[in-house]
Amino acid sequence: MLDVRRLRLLRELARRGTIAAVAEALSYSPSAVSQQLGVLEREAGLPLLERTGRTVRLTPAGQNLVRHAEAVLERLEEAAADLAEARSGLAGALRIGAFPTATRAIVPAALTALARRHPRLEAMVTETDPAAVAHALRAGDLDVALVHEYDFVPAPREPGIATEPLYREAMYLAAPAAGREPPPDARQRDPEEPAAAGGPGPAEQRAVLRAHADAPWITATPGTLCHTMAVRACEAAGFTPRVRHLVDEFPTVLALVAAGQGVAVVPGLGLPGHADPAVTLTRLRMERRTKLAFRSGSAGHPAVAAFGEALRAALPPEPATGADDGP
């Protein structure tokens, strides 16, 4: 009989690529992971791994077993959901991942409603970049999470992870108001320089972004979806942004824009409830889409469903910003 815990290790190896990464993610030692995978091979009666020096890759039999493991783990999530539904009332920990703007703008109201309806359910929030959510869900570090994608950065399909659409919001170009513009870039651009790959957007949006091609830019830190979105949007408009500041919190980004330090692309949830006269906001023809993510098979879990219901009730209308709608 194949052991489910060892199947989970094999699946994580298929996703993470190295035994060391699996060990770190699941709080094992590398030797323990290797030992358990060796036991799984004996249970299977076939080689599941090919070892060459320090590298390990799955054999065809190992890859096929991972596909079965996905189905088995999904059914176990469904079984856990059924058992939870049979119990009277929700109780215990619900581990939630959320990116910073959602943590500030949506999650507090949802947690208040959740606590009112299910006082024995202990919601525990960890700020988590969407790029790290899939691994955290599969490892069991999170039960449910908020993730997002942009027009220029679609989210890849993650094995073992299911999502539900939650919220759509507009994107804005934030620039210093008249008299606070940052100094132009000394670098002269070639007017015949072709647009970078990534696919052009509407002509109006390209014109809005190109008007700031020589300005310094403020983006999130490299490796985040927000950083990739800003760079790709600029590249689609025909230029590569000259990044001056790397900041992940949008209120801080807007404070730097107000100080004349550069321009930035900001989602609606990242905007304050009142307009700052030092910042000009121009609505772009692109959007950010927020989704609820959880392990496949756990959509019917009462705690996951209750949190999703509380989130939907807490969603704000698109923030009133006084922003220019652009051309």
Side-chain angles (χ1 to χ4, degrees):
M1 180 68 68
L2 299 177
D3 186 281
V4 171
R5 292 169 297 180
R6 297 182 187 118
L7 289 175
R8 191 185 299 276
L9 290 175
L10 185 69
R11 182 192 62 175
E12 288 304 309
L13 179 61
R15 302 294 166 240
R16 298 177 187 269
T18 67
I19 286 177
V22 174
E24 182 178 0
L26 301 184
S27 300
Y28 285 90
S29 68
S31 61
V33 173
S34 294
Q35 181 183 23
Q36 290 301 309
L37 290 174
V39 174
L40 181 62
E41 284 188 303
R42 291 194 292 274
E43 291 175 342
L46 288 169
L48 303 176
L49 308 175
E50 293 178 348
R51 296 173 175 84
T52 305
R54 295 187 177 182
T55 63
V56 178
R57 64 179 181 179
L58 272 63
T59 64
Q63 295 170 358
N64 189 46
L65 186 55
V66 166
R67 288 191 287 271
H68 288 294
E70 294 285 5
V72 168
L73 293 169
E74 182 173 344
R75 289 301 299 270
L76 286 175
E77 290 292 341
E78 292 172 354
D82 288 344
L83 290 172
E85 188 173 10
R87 293 194 292 265
S88 58
L90 295 180
L94 177 66
R95 294 159 299 181
I96 301 164
F99 52 91
T101 44
T103 303
R104 177 181 58 83
I106 302 175
V107 171
L111 294 182
T112 299
L114 195 65
R116 187 181 304 118
R117 296 190 60 184
H118 306 285
R120 294 194 299 146
L121 186 64
E122 184 182 7
M124 305 166 66
V125 178
T126 301
E127 281 197 355
T128 309
D129 187 85
V133 160
H135 284 333
L137 286 171
R138 283 194 293 259
D141 296 331
L142 297 176
D143 300 309
V144 63
L146 290 165
V147 296
H148 59 60
E149 65 177 5
Y150 295 96
D151 284 349
F152 288 98
V153 194
R157 183 186 177 280
E158 289 284 355
I161 304 299
T163 61
E164 293 178 356
L166 188 65
Y167 187 66
R168 302 164 76 98
E169 59 189 306
M171 302 294 297
Y172 297 84
L173 177 75
R180 293 175 178 257
E181 292 86 350
D185 189 352
R187 177 186 55 147
Q188 296 299 312
R189 295 185 52 83
D190 180 354
E192 298 301 319
E193 182 180 345
E204 297 88 351
Q205 177 168 292
R206 296 200 305 272
V208 169
L209 295 172
R210 261 201 315 270
H212 299 277
D214 292 331
W217 280 72
I218 306 164
T219 73
T221 52
T224 61
L225 299 183
C226 297
H227 175 87
T228 304
M229 170 274 302
V231 171
R232 288 184 181 175
C234 292
E235 289 176 343
F239 68 97
T240 299
R242 180 175 63 91
V243 178
R244 174 182 287 179
H245 301 294
L246 297 170
V247 178
D248 287 323
E249 290 189 337
F250 288 116
T252 306
V253 169
L254 291 170
L256 290 171
V257 172
Q261 287 295 302
V263 299
V265 177
V266 180
L269 284 180
L271 300 176
H274 59 279
D276 185 339
V279 178
T280 297
L281 297 170
T282 303
R283 182 167 178 164
L284 300 171
R285 285 169 171 78
M286 55 187 287
E287 65 180 14
R288 182 169 76 168
R289 293 172 292 280
T290 297
K291 300 178 182 181
L292 193 65
F294 39 82
R295 287 182 292 277
S296 297
S298 67
H301 193 290
V304 172
F307 180 61
E309 181 181 349
L311 277 174
R312 289 181 173 85
L315 290 175
E318 186 170 322
T321 63
D324 179 9
D325 280 339

